[in-house]
Amino acid sequence: MSANTASKGHVRRLRPTRAVASAVRGLPRLWAGGWAGLLLLALMIPLGGWTTGSDAAQHLFTGMAVVLTLAVWTGLTAVALDRDPPPGGVATGPVLLRVVLAAGLNLIFLAMIAVVLALVSLAIAGMSGLDLEAIQARDWANVGPVWQLGVLGLVGLIVLIVPLLLIVRLSLFVQATVGRGHAVSLNTMGIAQGSFWALMVLFLGLAVPPLALLGWAASHGLIELAMVALIGLWMPLSAGALAAAYGQLEYWSPESPGHLGGG
């Protein structure tokens, strides 16, 4: 079933405020279903201080923290979507492997796009005939014609916008993978089709408060306490909000033709 066909029976429209409100109402269920994973993540914070002075220990700790964070995030998503939630909210086994596979495929795709954009940018910059010494000296008056600078500025803007557009449209891959029961990578863009700005608003609403809290906590020496608060509140709230957003946008159903396909 295509997105266009499915949308005839179901109007897919993301409402960020409704998604956040649904997440707030669902917090008790997320805490009850994911308390063990959240507790494990909180315990990782003081453990990080014990690795100071050893590069090998720090690398090992970072790897463990990344894997555990992804496992807990996937588990919370399963709890929010009510898709076979794992005990304690820590996803393991095939579910986690599917999410890792989808993440890897998305990263490969984004890397390929970044390489192409970088090569195109270098080619255009090389053919522009601008004075590289003037650019290095920041002598903009002698760099070259204004129209050439305008073209390079437009190219630079495209280089920034295209990855951002793709990242936002791919951002619900964990929710899609858990919801559909198989690895979903590039097909996530179909789910987010037409909802770029709504997703951006939702992400900004979820990202700005914790960043502000971390900035304030860092200046007052309370960074560890702030991180514990973010794990206990922001993580389940964000998982619930993105799961609700996915629920508003999803058009796939188990009865859809070809539903066993991946990617």
Side-chain angles (χ1 to χ4, degrees):
M1 180 184 296
S2 67
N4 292 334
T5 302
S7 62
K8 292 180 180 179
H10 172 57
V11 178
R12 299 185 298 129
R13 181 181 178 186
L14 174 58
R15 296 173 174 83
T17 53
R18 184 176 297 181
V20 174
S22 176
V24 172
R25 292 193 301 269
L27 273 177
R29 182 164 62 90
L30 285 167
W31 282 327
W35 66 270
L38 296 173
L39 180 60
L40 285 175
L41 275 181
L43 291 175
M44 291 289 286
I45 296 175
L47 290 178
W50 298 352
T51 63
T52 304
S54 173
D55 291 339
Q58 288 182 345
H59 293 323
L60 178 61
F61 173 81
T62 300
M64 292 173 56
V66 169
V67 172
L68 180 59
T69 300
L70 184 59
V72 173
W73 179 258
T74 303
L76 288 174
T77 300
V79 173
L81 293 175
D82 196 20
R83 297 289 197 278
D84 298 322
V90 182
T92 57
V95 177
L96 184 59
L97 290 177
R98 287 194 290 264
V99 171
V100 171
L101 174 60
L105 292 174
N106 284 339
L107 288 174
I108 292 173
F109 172 71
L110 291 173
M112 293 170 59
I113 296 297
V115 169
V116 171
L117 290 174
L119 291 176
V120 171
S121 302
L122 290 174
I124 294 176
M127 295 184 298
S128 64
L130 297 177
D131 191 336
L132 296 180
E133 293 183 358
I135 294 177
Q136 293 175 349
R138 298 185 180 181
D139 184 8
W140 306 116
N142 296 317
V143 168
V146 175
W147 69 269
Q148 287 183 332
L149 291 175
V151 171
L152 288 180
L154 179 60
V155 172
L157 188 62
I158 293 174
V159 169
L160 292 176
I161 290 178
V162 170
L164 176 62
L165 176 63
L166 294 175
I167 290 172
V168 171
R169 291 191 61 183
L170 290 169
S171 58
L172 296 178
F173 76 93
V174 175
Q175 289 73 27
T177 296
V178 173
R180 296 187 179 186
H182 59 259
V184 182
S185 54
L186 300 185
N187 281 348
T188 313
M189 290 193 288
I191 299 173
Q193 183 176 0
S195 301
F196 172 81
W197 291 111
L199 277 172
M200 276 294 294
V201 169
L202 179 59
F203 284 130
L204 288 175
L206 293 174
V208 171
L211 290 176
L213 175 62
L214 288 175
W216 176 86
S219 63
H220 290 78
L222 300 172
I223 189 67
E224 292 187 354
L225 182 61
M227 291 180 66
V228 170
L230 292 179
I231 290 173
L233 179 61
W234 173 84
M235 196 169 185
L237 178 66
S238 297
L242 293 181
Y246 164 75
Q248 294 176 19
L249 295 174
E250 177 62 286
Y251 58 86
W252 177 89
S253 67
E255 293 76 22
S256 301
H259 73 276
L260 294 178

